[in-house]
Amino acid sequence: MSKIKIVILDSETVTHGDVSLDDICALGDTRVYGYTRDEDIADVIGDADAVICNKCAITEDVFSRCKSLRYVGLFATGYNNVDTLAAGKRGAVVCNVPSYSTNAVAQHTFAFILDFFNKAARYSDTVANGDWIDYKLFSYFYIPTNEIAGLTLGIVGYGDIGRKVAQIARAFDMNVITHTRTPSKVNDKTEVCTLEQLLKCSDVVSLHCPLTSENQCMINAHTLSYMKPNALLVNTARGGLIDESALADALNNERIAGACLDVLTYEPMRSDCKLFGAKNCRITPHVAWAPIETRERLLREVAQNLRCWIEGNPRNVVN
C-alpha cells in the first residue's frame, strides 16, 4: 500500500526546530513548508491527501482545486480558517486539538495579573538602573503594589481554560464570578451573572470565550463604561472580542487602570494598531499557548489525529 501524501503548510507557527515534527512526518510521504502565502496554498497542496496547518486559509476554492484532499488537521483548537462546509461536501474530515493549552494559557493569564499588581518587572528595571545601589534604606517601594486576595475576578467564558483560571484564582483567595453562554455547565458553585453585572463588580476581567459573530467587539465603549476605574482587563482568548479603538481611548483617558493582551484583532500587529503605545497596556505576541511542553503535547495530538484518520477511526472531528 502506498503512503499517503501529507503537506504541512506553516510549520514555523509551532516549531523552529525546538520541538519535532517526526511523529507526523512518519505517517506518510510528507512535505514541510515553514510558511505558505494564502495565494499559494492550493498549488502547494497539489495532489496531497492530507494537509496540516495552523492559520492557513483552507477555502472552498482550495478544496475545488485540490481534488485528492480528504483530511485537514489543525495545529490549533480554533478552525475558523477552514471552510468546514466545503470540506464536508467533498468528504474531507477536519480535525482540531482541543484542550491542549489549558494550563499554559491559565499560567499566562496569571503572569499578566501578578505582574500588574506586583510590578515585579518594573522593580527589576529600577534595580537594573542602579536605584538600589547605595540606597539609604534596605528597601524602597515608591511603585505601589497590591494584594490580589479578596479581589473579584470576572471570567468571561467558562470552558476548560476559564475553569482552570478560576481554580488558580481561588488559590490566591480571590472571589470568582463568571459570564457564560452555557450557565447550566457551571457546576462548581461559581456565581453566574450577566456581562453588565460582571463588568461592574470585577477588579479583574479575564476573557476566555471563543470568538463568534454574536460576541465580536463585546468589549466596546459601552461595556467598558461599566468597568471600575481601577480595573484590569486581560485577554488571552481572541483579539476580535475587543474594540481596540475603544479600549485605547479608555486606557489613555484612565477610565480603566490597565489592559494585558496576548491577542489582537489583526495578527501580526499592524503599525496602525490603536493599542500600540496605549497607556498601561501590556501586549505579548500571542504566546500564551506556546511553552515547549504545550507544543510537544500539541504535536503528539496532531499526529494521533492523523493516525486515527488513516486507520479509519477519525477523532476530534469538527465538521
Side-chain angles (χ1 to χ4, degrees):
M1 181 177 176
S2 60
K3 285 187 174 183
I4 66 165
K5 295 180 180 179
I6 305 165
V7 173
I8 298 175
L9 292 175
D10 51 4
S11 67
E12 290 179 15
T13 64
V14 291
T15 181
H16 291 281
D18 54 343
V19 294
S20 175
L21 297 168
D22 288 352
D23 286 351
I24 300 170
C25 295
L27 295 172
D29 179 8
T30 306
R31 290 179 286 124
V32 179
Y33 297 84
Y35 167 75
T36 304
R37 299 184 305 169
D38 282 347
E39 57 266 36
D40 297 330
I41 287 172
D43 291 334
V44 169
I45 294 172
D47 64 349
D49 305 287
V51 63
I52 312 291
C53 65
N54 194 327
K55 296 294 184 286
C56 288
I58 311 300
T59 62
E60 184 169 14
D61 178 65
V62 170
F63 282 110
S64 67
R65 293 172 60 189
C66 302
K67 305 297 185 183
S68 299
L69 185 60
R70 291 294 176 267
Y71 178 86
V72 179
L74 289 149
F75 288 127
T77 302
Y79 51 90
N80 56 299
N81 56 307
V82 181
D83 188 330
T84 55
L85 291 177
K89 289 177 184 177
R90 290 166 174 78
V93 172
V94 182
C95 297
N96 74 339
V97 182
S99 304
Y100 74 95
S101 63
T102 298
N103 288 333
V105 176
Q107 176 179 314
H108 199 83
T109 298
F110 266 87
F112 275 150
I113 293 170
L114 293 173
D115 183 66
F116 180 80
F117 287 101
N118 278 66
K119 307 295 192 296
R122 289 182 61 187
Y123 270 115
S124 177
D125 288 344
T126 70
V127 173
N129 289 336
D131 293 8
W132 207 13
I133 297 172
D134 296 327
Y135 188 73
K136 62 183 178 181
L137 300 174
F138 77 99
S139 171
Y140 55 87
F141 41 87
Y142 52 77
I143 304 171
T145 61
N146 301 92
E147 293 183 358
I148 63 173
L151 298 184
T152 295
L153 172 63
I155 299 174
V156 181
Y158 211 68
D160 290 339
I161 297 172
R163 287 193 296 271
K164 175 60 72 171
V165 169
Q167 178 186 345
I168 298 170
R170 292 190 178 98
F172 281 105
D173 291 327
M174 299 183 79
N175 305 309
V176 179
I177 59 177
T178 187
H179 171 69
T180 172
R181 61 182 177 176
T182 54
S184 61
K185 295 183 179 180
V186 179
N187 54 14
D188 60 2
K189 299 183 179 180
T190 299
E191 179 185 349
V192 179
C193 55
T194 66
L195 180 62
E196 179 179 342
Q197 290 169 331
L198 181 143
L199 295 173
K200 286 180 176 179
C201 294
S202 298
D203 302 291
V204 180
V205 174
S206 194
L207 307 182
H208 298 289
C209 51
L211 177 63
T212 67
S213 57
E214 288 77 24
N215 66 14
Q216 187 168 11
C217 290
M218 66 188 301
I219 303 300
N220 51 52
H222 178 67
T223 53
L224 283 164
S225 70
Y226 294 136
M227 292 181 65
K228 297 179 180 181
N230 61 343
L232 170 68
L233 175 65
V234 179
N235 188 11
T236 55
R238 287 291 182 265
L241 297 169
I242 296 175
D243 179 333
E244 293 177 352
S245 293
L247 177 57
D249 185 63
L251 291 167
N252 291 330
N253 289 285
E254 299 183 0
R255 289 196 287 271
I256 65 171
C260 295
L261 314 170
D262 186 53
V263 288
L264 294 173
T265 300
Y266 298 104
E267 296 173 350
M269 173 190 266
R270 293 182 177 180
S271 60
D272 62 351
C273 176
K274 298 295 185 181
L275 292 166
F276 186 66
K279 187 180 294 186
N280 296 322
C281 186
R282 284 282 179 100
I283 302 174
T284 52
H286 204 142
V287 293
W289 67 281
I292 190 166
E293 298 87 353
T294 314
R295 287 182 289 121
E296 287 173 342
R297 184 182 307 115
L298 170 64
L299 293 182
R300 287 195 300 269
E301 292 299 307
V302 170
Q304 187 61 18
N305 280 352
L306 180 56
R307 186 179 296 110
C308 288
W309 174 74
I310 292 170
E311 293 172 353
N313 299 297
R315 63 173 201 164
N316 295 324
V317 178
V318 298
N319 68 319

